[in-house]
Coordinates of all heavy atoms in Angstrom, one line a residue:
R1 N -48.9 -19.8 -8.6 CA -49.0 -19.6 -7.2 C -47.8 -18.7 -6.7 O -46.7 -19.0 -7.1 CB -49.1 -20.8 -6.4 CG -49.1 -20.7 -5.0 CD -49.2 -22.0 -4.3 NE -48.6 -22.0 -3.0 CZ -49.2 -22.5 -1.9 NH1 -50.3 -23.1 -2.0 NH2 -48.6 -22.3 -0.8
Q2 N -48.1 -17.7 -5.9 CA -47.0 -16.8 -5.3 C -46.3 -17.5 -4.2 O -46.8 -18.3 -3.5 CB -47.6 -15.6 -4.8 CG -48.1 -14.6 -5.9 CD -48.5 -13.3 -5.2 OE1 -48.9 -13.2 -4.0 NE2 -48.5 -12.2 -6.0
P3 N -45.0 -17.2 -4.0 CA -44.3 -17.7 -2.9 C -45.0 -17.3 -1.5 O -45.6 -16.1 -1.5 CB -42.9 -17.0 -2.9 CG -42.8 -16.6 -4.3 CD -44.2 -16.3 -4.8
T4 N -44.9 -18.0 -0.5 CA -45.6 -17.7 0.8 C -45.2 -16.3 1.4 O -45.9 -15.7 2.1 CB -45.4 -18.8 1.8 OG1 -44.0 -19.0 2.0 CG2 -46.0 -20.1 1.3
W5 N -43.9 -16.0 1.2 CA -43.4 -14.7 1.8 C -44.1 -13.5 1.1 O -44.1 -12.4 1.7 CB -41.9 -14.5 1.8 CG -41.3 -14.5 0.4 CD1 -41.3 -13.4 -0.5 CD2 -40.7 -15.6 -0.3 NE1 -40.7 -13.8 -1.6 CE2 -40.2 -15.1 -1.5 CE3 -40.4 -16.9 0.1 CZ2 -39.6 -15.9 -2.5 CZ3 -39.7 -17.6 -0.9 CH2 -39.3 -17.1 -2.1
E6 N -44.6 -13.6 0.0 CA -45.3 -12.5 -0.7 C -46.8 -12.4 -0.2 O -47.4 -11.4 -0.5 CB -45.3 -12.7 -2.2 CG -43.9 -12.4 -2.7 CD -43.8 -12.3 -4.2 OE1 -44.9 -12.0 -4.9 OE2 -42.7 -12.5 -4.8
D7 N -47.3 -13.4 0.4 CA -48.7 -13.3 0.9 C -48.9 -12.3 2.0 O -49.9 -11.7 2.1 CB -49.1 -14.7 1.5 CG -49.3 -15.8 0.4 OD1 -49.4 -15.3 -0.8 OD2 -49.3 -17.0 0.7
N8 N -47.9 -12.0 2.8 CA -48.1 -11.0 3.9 C -47.3 -9.8 3.6 O -47.0 -9.0 4.6 CB -47.7 -11.6 5.3 CG -46.3 -12.1 5.3 OD1 -45.5 -11.9 4.4 ND2 -45.9 -12.7 6.4
D9 N -46.9 -9.5 2.4 CA -46.1 -8.2 2.1 C -44.8 -8.1 2.8 O -44.5 -7.1 3.3 CB -47.0 -7.0 2.3 CG -48.1 -6.9 1.2 OD1 -47.8 -7.4 0.1 OD2 -49.2 -6.3 1.5
A10 N -44.1 -9.2 3.1 CA -42.9 -9.2 3.9 C -41.9 -8.3 3.3 O -41.0 -7.7 4.0 CB -42.4 -10.6 4.0
F11 N -41.8 -8.0 2.0 CA -40.8 -7.2 1.3 C -41.4 -5.9 0.9 O -40.8 -5.2 0.0 CB -40.2 -8.0 0.2 CG -39.4 -9.2 0.7 CD1 -40.0 -10.4 0.6 CD2 -38.3 -9.1 1.3 CE1 -39.4 -11.5 1.1 CE2 -37.5 -10.2 1.8 CZ -38.1 -11.4 1.7
A12 N -42.5 -5.4 1.3 CA -43.2 -4.2 0.9 C -42.3 -2.9 1.1 O -42.3 -2.0 0.3 CB -44.5 -4.0 1.5
D13 N -41.6 -3.0 2.2 CA -40.7 -1.8 2.5 C -39.6 -1.7 1.6 O -39.0 -0.5 1.4 CB -40.1 -1.9 3.9 CG -41.2 -1.8 5.0 OD1 -42.3 -1.4 4.7 OD2 -40.9 -2.2 6.2
L14 N -39.2 -2.6 0.8 CA -38.1 -2.5 -0.1 C -38.4 -1.6 -1.3 O -37.5 -1.0 -1.8 CB -37.7 -3.9 -0.7 CG -37.1 -4.9 0.3 CD1 -36.9 -6.2 -0.4 CD2 -35.9 -4.4 0.9
G15 N -39.6 -1.3 -1.6 CA -39.9 -0.3 -2.6 C -40.1 1.1 -2.1 O -40.3 2.0 -3.0
E16 N -39.8 1.3 -0.9 CA -39.9 2.7 -0.3 C -38.5 3.4 -0.4 O -37.6 2.8 0.0 CB -40.5 2.7 1.1 CG -41.9 2.3 1.2 CD -42.4 2.3 2.6 OE1 -41.9 3.0 3.4 OE2 -43.4 1.6 2.9
R17 N -38.6 4.6 -0.7 CA -37.3 5.4 -0.8 C -37.1 6.1 0.5 O -38.0 6.6 1.1 CB -37.5 6.5 -1.9 CG -36.3 7.4 -2.2 CD -36.6 8.3 -3.3 NE -35.5 9.0 -3.7 CZ -35.1 10.2 -3.2 NH1 -35.8 10.8 -2.3 NH2 -33.9 10.8 -3.7
H18 N -35.8 6.1 1.0 CA -35.5 6.8 2.3 C -35.8 8.3 2.1 O -35.6 8.9 1.1 CB -34.0 6.6 2.6 CG -33.6 7.2 3.9 ND1 -33.7 6.5 5.0 CD2 -33.0 8.4 4.2 CE1 -33.3 7.3 6.0 NE2 -32.9 8.4 5.6
S19 N -36.5 8.9 3.1 CA -36.9 10.3 3.0 C -36.7 11.1 4.2 O -37.6 11.9 4.6 CB -38.4 10.3 2.6 OG -39.2 9.6 3.6
R20 N -35.5 10.9 4.8 CA -35.3 11.6 6.1 C -33.8 12.2 6.1 O -33.0 11.5 5.6 CB -35.5 10.6 7.2 CG -35.3 11.1 8.6 CD -35.6 10.0 9.6 NE -36.0 10.5 10.9 CZ -35.0 11.0 11.7 NH1 -33.8 10.8 11.5 NH2 -35.4 11.5 12.9
C21 N -33.6 13.3 6.7 CA -32.3 13.9 6.9 C -31.7 13.3 8.1 O -32.2 13.3 9.2 CB -32.3 15.5 7.0 SG -30.8 16.1 7.3
N22 N -30.5 12.6 7.9 CA -29.9 11.9 9.0 C -28.7 12.7 9.5 O -27.8 12.2 10.2 CB -29.4 10.6 8.5 CG -30.5 9.6 8.2 OD1 -30.8 9.4 7.0 ND2 -31.2 9.1 9.2
A23 N -28.5 14.0 9.1 CA -27.4 14.8 9.6 C -27.5 14.9 11.1 O -28.5 14.8 11.7 CB -27.5 16.2 8.9
R24 N -26.3 15.0 11.6 CA -26.3 15.1 13.1 C -27.1 16.2 13.6 O -28.0 16.0 14.5 CB -24.8 15.3 13.6 CG -24.6 15.3 15.1 CD -23.1 15.6 15.4 NE -22.2 15.9 14.3 CZ -21.1 15.3 13.9 NH1 -20.7 14.3 14.7 NH2 -20.4 15.7 12.9
E25 N -27.1 17.3 12.9 CA -28.1 18.4 13.3 C -28.8 18.9 12.0 O -28.1 19.4 11.0 CB -27.3 19.6 13.8 CG -28.2 20.8 14.2 CD -27.4 22.0 14.7 OE1 -26.2 22.0 14.8 OE2 -28.0 23.1 14.9
C26 N -30.1 18.6 11.9 CA -30.8 19.0 10.8 C -31.3 20.5 10.9 O -31.8 20.9 12.0 CB -32.1 18.2 10.6 SG -33.1 18.6 9.2
L27 N -31.0 21.3 9.9 CA -31.2 22.7 10.0 C -32.4 23.2 9.3 O -32.9 24.3 9.4 CB -30.0 23.5 9.3 CG -28.6 23.2 9.9 CD1 -27.5 23.8 9.0 CD2 -28.5 23.6 11.3
Y28 N -33.2 22.3 8.6 CA -34.4 22.6 7.9 C -35.4 23.0 8.9 O -35.9 22.2 9.7 CB -34.7 21.4 7.0 CG -35.8 21.8 6.0 CD1 -35.9 23.0 5.4 CD2 -36.7 20.9 5.5 CE1 -36.8 23.3 4.4 CE2 -37.7 21.1 4.6 CZ -37.7 22.4 4.0 OH -38.7 22.7 3.0
P29 N -36.1 24.2 8.8 CA -37.1 24.7 9.7 C -38.3 23.7 9.7 O -39.0 23.6 10.7 CB -37.5 26.1 9.2 CG -36.3 26.5 8.4 CD -35.7 25.2 7.8
R30 N -38.6 23.1 8.5 CA -39.7 22.2 8.5 C -39.5 20.7 9.0 O -40.4 19.9 9.1 CB -40.3 22.2 7.0 CG -40.8 23.6 6.6 CD -41.2 23.6 5.2 NE -42.3 22.7 4.9 CZ -42.6 22.5 3.7 NH1 -42.0 22.9 2.6 NH2 -43.6 21.7 3.5
G31 N -38.3 20.5 9.4 CA -37.9 19.2 10.0 C -37.2 18.2 9.1 O -37.1 18.3 7.9
R32 N -36.7 17.1 9.7 CA -36.0 16.1 9.0 C -36.8 15.3 8.0 O -36.3 14.8 7.0 CB -35.5 15.1 10.1 CG -34.5 15.5 11.1 CD -34.1 14.5 11.9 NE -33.0 15.0 12.9 CZ -31.7 15.1 12.7 NH1 -31.3 14.6 11.5 NH2 -31.0 15.5 13.6
E33 N -38.1 15.2 8.2 CA -38.9 14.4 7.3 C -39.4 15.2 6.0 O -40.0 14.6 5.1 CB -40.2 14.0 8.1 CG -39.9 13.2 9.3 CD -39.3 11.8 9.2 OE1 -39.5 11.3 8.1 OE2 -38.6 11.4 10.0
E34 N -39.0 16.4 5.9 CA -39.4 17.2 4.8 C -38.3 17.5 3.9 O -37.1 17.7 4.4 CB -40.1 18.5 5.2 CG -41.3 18.3 6.1 CD -42.5 17.8 5.3 OE1 -42.6 18.1 4.1 OE2 -43.2 17.0 5.8
A35 N -38.5 17.8 2.6 CA -37.4 18.2 1.7 C -38.0 18.9 0.5 O -39.3 18.8 0.3 CB -36.7 16.9 1.2
E36 N -37.2 19.6 -0.3 CA -37.6 20.2 -1.5 C -37.0 19.6 -2.7 O -36.0 18.8 -2.6 CB -37.2 21.7 -1.4 CG -38.0 22.4 -0.3 CD -37.6 23.9 -0.2 OE1 -36.9 24.4 -1.1 OE2 -38.1 24.5 0.8
E37 N -37.5 19.7 -3.9 CA -37.0 19.2 -5.1 C -35.6 19.5 -5.4 O -34.8 18.8 -6.0 CB -37.9 19.5 -6.2 CG -39.3 18.8 -6.2 CD -39.3 17.3 -6.2 OE1 -38.6 16.8 -7.1 OE2 -40.0 16.6 -5.5
E38 N -35.3 20.8 -5.1 CA -33.9 21.3 -5.5 C -33.5 22.4 -4.5 O -34.4 22.9 -3.7 CB -33.9 21.8 -7.0 CG -34.9 22.9 -7.2 CD -34.8 23.2 -8.7 OE1 -34.7 22.3 -9.6 OE2 -35.0 24.4 -9.0
G39 N -32.3 22.9 -4.6 CA -31.8 23.9 -3.7 C -31.2 23.4 -2.4 O -30.9 22.2 -2.3
P40 N -31.1 24.3 -1.4 CA -30.4 23.9 -0.2 C -31.1 22.8 0.6 O -30.5 22.1 1.5 CB -30.3 25.2 0.6 CG -31.4 26.1 0.0 CD -31.5 25.7 -1.4
W41 N -32.4 22.7 0.4 CA -33.2 21.7 1.2 C -33.5 20.4 0.4 O -34.4 19.7 0.8 CB -34.4 22.3 1.8 CG -34.2 23.6 2.5 CD1 -34.5 24.9 2.3 CD2 -33.3 23.6 3.7 NE1 -34.0 25.7 3.2 CE2 -33.2 24.9 4.1 CE3 -32.6 22.7 4.4 CZ2 -32.5 25.4 5.2 CZ3 -31.9 23.1 5.6 CH2 -31.8 24.5 5.9
E42 N -32.8 20.2 -0.7 CA -32.9 19.0 -1.5 C -32.3 17.8 -0.6 O -31.3 18.1 0.0 CB -32.1 19.1 -2.8 CG -32.1 17.8 -3.6 CD -31.3 17.9 -4.9 OE1 -30.7 19.0 -5.1 OE2 -31.3 17.0 -5.6
L43 N -33.0 16.7 -0.6 CA -32.4 15.6 0.2 C -31.7 14.7 -0.8 O -32.1 14.2 -1.8 CB -33.6 14.8 0.7 CG -33.3 13.7 1.7 CD1 -32.7 14.2 3.0 CD2 -34.5 12.7 2.0
L44 N -30.4 14.5 -0.4 CA -29.5 13.6 -1.2 C -29.3 12.3 -0.4 O -29.1 12.3 0.8 CB -28.0 14.2 -1.3 CG -27.9 15.5 -2.1 CD1 -26.5 15.9 -2.3 CD2 -28.4 15.2 -3.6
L45 N -29.5 11.2 -1.1 CA -29.3 9.9 -0.5 C -27.9 9.5 -0.6 O -27.2 9.8 -1.6 CB -30.3 8.9 -1.0 CG -31.8 9.2 -0.9 CD1 -32.6 8.0 -1.5 CD2 -32.1 9.4 0.6
C46 N -27.5 8.6 0.3 CA -26.1 8.1 0.2 C -25.9 7.3 -1.2 O -26.8 6.5 -1.5 CB -25.8 7.1 1.3 SG -24.2 6.2 1.2
S47 N -24.9 7.7 -1.9 CA -24.7 7.1 -3.2 C -24.3 5.6 -3.2 O -24.4 5.0 -4.2 CB -23.7 7.9 -4.0 OG -22.4 8.0 -3.3
S48 N -23.9 5.1 -2.0 CA -23.6 3.8 -1.9 C -24.7 2.9 -1.3 O -24.9 1.9 -1.9 CB -22.3 3.6 -1.0 OG -21.2 4.2 -1.6
C49 N -25.3 3.3 -0.3 CA -26.3 2.4 0.3 C -27.7 2.9 0.3 O -28.7 2.1 0.4 CB -26.0 2.2 1.9 SG -26.3 3.7 2.9
A50 N -28.0 4.2 0.0 CA -29.3 4.8 -0.1 C -30.1 4.7 1.2 O -31.3 4.9 1.2 CB -30.0 4.3 -1.3
A51 N -29.5 4.3 2.3 CA -30.2 4.1 3.6 C -30.1 5.3 4.5 O -30.8 5.3 5.5 CB -29.6 2.9 4.3
E52 N -29.4 6.3 4.1 CA -29.3 7.5 4.8 C -29.4 8.7 3.9 O -29.0 8.5 2.7 CB -28.0 7.6 5.7 CG -28.0 6.7 6.8 CD -26.9 7.0 7.9 OE1 -26.5 8.2 8.0 OE2 -26.5 6.0 8.6
G53 N -29.8 9.8 4.4 CA -29.9 11.1 3.6 C -29.5 12.3 4.3 O -29.4 12.3 5.5
T54 N -29.3 13.4 3.5 CA -29.0 14.7 4.1 C -29.5 15.8 3.2 O -29.5 15.6 2.0 CB -27.4 14.9 4.3 OG1 -27.2 16.1 5.1 CG2 -26.7 14.9 3.0
H55 N -30.0 16.9 3.8 CA -30.3 18.0 3.1 C -28.9 18.7 2.7 O -27.9 18.5 3.5 CB -31.0 19.1 4.0 CG -32.4 18.7 4.4 ND1 -32.7 18.5 5.7 CD2 -33.5 18.4 3.7 CE1 -34.0 18.1 5.7 NE2 -34.5 18.1 4.5
R56 N -28.8 19.3 1.5 CA -27.6 19.9 1.1 C -27.0 20.8 2.2 O -25.9 20.7 2.6 CB -27.8 20.7 -0.1 CG -27.9 19.9 -1.4 CD -28.1 20.7 -2.6 NE -28.3 19.9 -3.7 CZ -27.2 19.3 -4.4 NH1 -26.0 19.4 -4.0 NH2 -27.5 18.5 -5.4
R57 N -27.9 21.7 2.7 CA -27.4 22.7 3.7 C -26.9 22.1 5.0 O -25.9 22.5 5.6 CB -28.4 23.8 3.9 CG -27.9 24.8 5.0 CD -28.6 26.1 5.0 NE -28.4 26.8 3.7 CZ -29.1 27.7 3.3 NH1 -30.2 28.2 4.0 NH2 -29.0 28.4 2.1
C58 N -27.6 21.0 5.4 CA -27.2 20.4 6.7 C -25.9 19.7 6.7 O -25.3 19.5 7.7 CB -28.3 19.3 7.1 SG -30.0 19.9 7.3
S59 N -25.4 19.4 5.5 CA -24.0 18.9 5.4 C -23.1 19.8 4.6 O -22.0 19.4 4.2 CB -24.1 17.5 4.6 OG -24.7 16.5 5.5
G60 N -23.5 21.0 4.4 CA -22.6 22.0 3.7 C -22.3 21.7 2.3 O -21.1 21.9 1.9
L61 N -23.2 21.0 1.6 CA -22.9 20.6 0.2 C -23.4 21.8 -0.8 O -24.5 22.2 -0.7 CB -23.6 19.3 -0.1 CG -23.3 18.1 0.8 CD1 -24.2 17.0 0.5 CD2 -21.9 17.8 0.6
R62 N -22.5 22.0 -1.7 CA -22.8 23.0 -2.8 C -23.7 22.4 -3.7 O -23.9 21.2 -3.9 CB -21.5 23.5 -3.4 CG -20.5 24.2 -2.6 CD -19.4 24.7 -3.3 NE -18.4 25.2 -2.5 CZ -17.1 25.1 -2.6 NH1 -16.6 24.4 -3.6 NH2 -16.3 25.7 -1.8
S63 N -24.4 23.3 -4.5 CA -25.4 22.8 -5.5 C -24.7 22.0 -6.6 O -25.4 21.3 -7.3 CB -26.2 24.0 -6.1 OG -25.3 24.9 -6.7
S64 N -23.4 22.3 -6.8 CA -22.7 21.5 -7.8 C -22.4 20.1 -7.5 O -22.1 19.3 -8.3 CB -21.3 22.2 -8.2 OG -20.6 22.3 -7.0
V65 N -22.5 19.8 -6.2 CA -22.2 18.4 -5.7 C -23.5 17.6 -6.1 O -24.6 17.8 -5.6 CB -21.9 18.3 -4.2 CG1 -21.8 16.9 -3.7 CG2 -20.6 19.1 -3.9
Q66 N -23.3 16.5 -6.8 CA -24.4 15.6 -7.2 C -24.5 14.3 -6.4 O -25.5 13.6 -6.5 CB -24.3 15.3 -8.7 CG -24.4 16.6 -9.6 CD -25.7 17.3 -9.4 OE1 -26.7 16.7 -9.4 NE2 -25.6 18.6 -9.1
S67 N -23.5 14.0 -5.7 CA -23.6 12.7 -4.8 C -23.0 13.0 -3.5 O -22.1 13.9 -3.3 CB -22.9 11.6 -5.6 OG -21.5 11.8 -5.7
W68 N -23.3 12.1 -2.5 CA -22.9 12.2 -1.2 C -22.9 10.8 -0.6 O -23.7 9.9 -1.0 CB -23.9 13.1 -0.4 CG -23.8 13.1 1.1 CD1 -23.0 13.8 1.9 CD2 -24.6 12.2 2.0 NE1 -23.2 13.5 3.2 CE2 -24.1 12.6 3.3 CE3 -25.6 11.3 1.8 CZ2 -24.6 11.9 4.4 CZ3 -26.1 10.7 3.0 CH2 -25.7 11.0 4.2
E69 N -21.9 10.6 0.3 CA -21.9 9.3 1.0 C -22.1 9.4 2.5 O -21.5 10.4 3.1 CB -20.6 8.5 0.8 CG -20.6 7.7 -0.5 CD -19.3 6.9 -0.6 OE1 -18.2 7.4 -0.4 OE2 -19.5 5.7 -0.8
C70 N -22.8 8.6 3.1 CA -23.0 8.7 4.6 C -21.7 8.3 5.3 O -20.8 7.7 4.6 CB -24.1 7.7 5.0 SG -23.8 6.0 4.8
G71 N -21.6 8.6 6.6 CA -20.4 8.2 7.4 C -20.1 6.8 7.4 O -18.9 6.4 7.4
S72 N -21.1 5.9 7.4 CA -20.8 4.5 7.4 C -20.2 4.0 6.1 O -19.2 3.2 6.2 CB -22.1 3.7 7.6 OG -22.7 4.1 8.8
C73 N -20.6 4.5 5.0 CA -20.1 4.1 3.7 C -18.7 4.8 3.3 O -17.8 4.2 2.9 CB -21.0 4.3 2.6 SG -22.5 3.3 2.8
A74 N -18.6 6.0 3.7 CA -17.4 6.8 3.4 C -16.2 6.5 4.4 O -15.1 6.8 4.1 CB -17.7 8.3 3.4
G75 N -16.6 6.1 5.6 CA -15.6 5.9 6.6 C -15.9 6.8 7.7 O -16.4 7.8 7.5
L76 N -15.5 6.4 8.9 CA -15.7 7.2 10.1 C -15.3 8.7 10.0 O -14.1 8.9 9.7 CB -15.1 6.6 11.3 CG -15.4 7.1 12.7 CD1 -16.9 7.0 13.0 CD2 -14.6 6.4 13.7
G77 N -16.2 9.5 10.2 CA -15.8 11.0 10.2 C -15.7 11.6 8.8 O -15.4 12.8 8.7
T78 N -16.1 10.9 7.9 CA -15.9 11.5 6.4 C -17.2 11.7 5.7 O -17.2 12.3 4.7 CB -15.0 10.7 5.6 OG1 -15.6 9.4 5.5 CG2 -13.6 10.5 6.1
G79 N -18.3 11.2 6.3 CA -19.6 11.3 5.6 C -20.1 12.7 5.3 O -20.7 12.9 4.3
M80 N -19.8 13.6 6.2 CA -20.3 15.0 6.0 C -19.3 15.8 5.2 O -19.6 16.8 4.7 CB -20.5 15.6 7.3 CG -21.5 15.0 8.2 SD -23.1 14.8 7.3 CE -23.8 13.5 8.2
R81 N -18.0 15.3 5.0 CA -17.1 16.0 4.2 C -16.7 15.1 3.0 O -16.0 14.1 3.2 CB -15.8 16.4 5.0 CG -15.9 17.5 5.8 CD -14.7 17.7 6.6 NE -13.6 18.0 5.8 CZ -12.5 18.7 6.2 NH1 -12.5 19.1 7.4 NH2 -11.6 19.0 5.4
Q82 N -17.2 15.5 1.8 CA -16.7 14.6 0.7 C -15.4 15.1 0.2 O -15.1 16.2 0.0 CB -17.7 14.9 -0.4 CG -19.2 14.4 0.0 CD -19.2 12.9 0.3 OE1 -19.1 12.1 -0.6 NE2 -19.3 12.6 1.5
S83 N -14.5 14.1 0.2 CA -13.2 14.3 -0.4 C -12.7 13.2 -1.2 O -13.3 12.0 -1.1 CB -12.2 14.5 0.8 OG -12.1 13.4 1.5
S84 N -11.8 13.4 -2.2 CA -11.3 12.4 -2.9 C -9.8 12.5 -2.9 O -9.2 13.6 -3.1 CB -11.9 12.5 -4.3 OG -11.6 13.8 -4.9
W85 N -9.1 11.4 -2.9 CA -7.7 11.3 -2.9 C -7.1 11.1 -4.3 O -7.7 10.3 -5.1 CB -7.3 10.1 -2.0 CG -5.7 9.9 -2.0 CD1 -5.0 9.1 -2.7 CD2 -4.8 10.8 -1.3 NE1 -3.7 9.2 -2.4 CE2 -3.6 10.3 -1.5 CE3 -5.0 11.8 -0.4 CZ2 -2.4 10.7 -1.1 CZ3 -3.8 12.4 0.1 CH2 -2.6 11.8 -0.2
C86 N -6.2 11.9 -4.7 CA -5.6 11.9 -5.9 C -4.2 11.2 -5.8 O -3.3 11.9 -5.4 CB -5.5 13.3 -6.5 SG -4.8 13.3 -8.2
P87 N -4.1 9.9 -6.1 CA -2.8 9.2 -5.7 C -1.6 9.8 -6.6 O -0.6 9.8 -6.1 CB -3.1 7.8 -6.1 CG -4.3 7.8 -7.0 CD -5.1 9.0 -6.7
W88 N -1.8 10.2 -7.8 CA -0.7 10.6 -8.6 C -0.3 12.0 -8.2 O 0.9 12.4 -8.4 CB -0.9 10.5 -10.0 CG -2.2 11.2 -10.6 CD1 -2.2 12.5 -10.9 CD2 -3.5 10.8 -10.6 NE1 -3.5 12.9 -11.2 CE2 -4.3 11.8 -11.1 CE3 -4.0 9.5 -10.4 CZ2 -5.7 11.6 -11.3 CZ3 -5.4 9.4 -10.5 CH2 -6.2 10.4 -11.0
A89 N -1.1 12.8 -7.6 CA -0.8 14.2 -7.2 C -0.4 14.2 -5.7 O 0.2 15.2 -5.3 CB -1.8 15.2 -7.5
G90 N -0.8 13.2 -5.0 CA -0.5 13.2 -3.5 C -1.3 14.2 -2.7 O -0.8 14.6 -1.7
V91 N -2.5 14.6 -3.2 CA -3.3 15.6 -2.5 C -4.6 15.1 -2.3 O -5.1 14.3 -3.1 CB -3.2 17.0 -3.2 CG1 -1.9 17.6 -3.2 CG2 -3.8 16.9 -4.6
S92 N -5.4 15.7 -1.4 CA -6.8 15.4 -1.2 C -7.6 16.6 -1.8 O -7.3 17.7 -1.3 CB -7.1 15.2 0.3 OG -8.4 15.0 0.4
A93 N -8.5 16.4 -2.6 CA -9.3 17.5 -3.1 C -10.7 17.4 -2.4 O -11.4 16.4 -2.6 CB -9.6 17.3 -4.6
Q94 N -11.0 18.4 -1.7 CA -12.3 18.5 -1.0 C -13.4 19.1 -1.9 O -13.1 20.1 -2.5 CB -12.2 19.2 0.3 CG -11.4 18.4 1.3 CD -11.3 19.1 2.6 OE1 -11.8 20.2 2.8 NE2 -10.7 18.5 3.6
A95 N -14.6 18.5 -1.8 CA -15.7 19.0 -2.7 C -16.9 19.1 -1.8 O -17.1 18.4 -0.9 CB -15.9 18.1 -3.8
G96 N -17.6 20.1 -2.2 CA -18.9 20.3 -1.5 C -19.0 21.1 -0.1 O -20.0 21.2 0.5
L97 N -17.9 21.7 0.2 CA -17.9 22.4 1.5 C -18.3 23.8 1.2 O -18.0 24.4 0.2 CB -16.5 22.3 2.1 CG -16.0 21.0 2.5 CD1 -14.6 21.1 3.0 CD2 -16.9 20.3 3.5
G98 N -19.1 24.4 2.1 CA -19.4 25.8 2.1 C -20.8 26.1 1.8 O -21.8 25.7 1.7

């Protein structure tokens, strides 16, 4: 017998992938709900929570950037600019801009 919570598909949404651009300003002419398989209109999901996404161009991410974090996971004001701190060099290396 199945658990009672499975009788009404209470967890059906868990199998769905996020499919929306959450950038402050979405630039894609076809809209936030659309994306392409690759290129500037590829939708990247947050590498930490997968609950938010962005088109590469909407967040200024180069094609060489393979991962992105939303503002909530990366910290306030950093979600659209991916950067990494190098403790031994004492510098911040920014990736994905342009």
Side-chain angles (χ1 to χ4, degrees):
R1 176 180 154 131
Q2 289 185 337
T4 57
W5 62 79
E6 289 191 21
D7 290 341
N8 62 4
D9 289 330
F11 297 100
D13 291 344
L14 293 178
E16 292 183 24
R17 183 179 190 267
H18 185 82
S19 60
R20 184 174 200 281
C21 177
N22 297 103
R24 186 177 6 230
E25 180 182 358
C26 180
L27 305 172
Y28 193 32
R30 294 175 63 193
R32 292 181 182 276
E33 305 293 330
E34 300 292 326
E36 295 178 7
E37 292 292 320
E38 56 185 37
W41 304 119
E42 177 184 2
L43 187 70
L44 294 180
L45 298 184
C46 175
S47 59
S48 294
C49 70
E52 291 195 25
T54 185
H55 294 115
R56 287 183 179 280
R57 180 160 295 161
C58 297
S59 291
L61 302 172
R62 295 182 185 144
S63 59
S64 60
V65 174
Q66 297 301 312
S67 66
W68 168 85
E69 276 190 309
C70 68
S72 298
C73 292
L76 188 59
T78 60
M80 299 304 159
R81 281 176 68 152
Q82 296 298 288
S83 63
S84 56
W85 178 257
C86 181
W88 57 87
V91 298
S92 178
Q94 292 182 353
L97 298 177

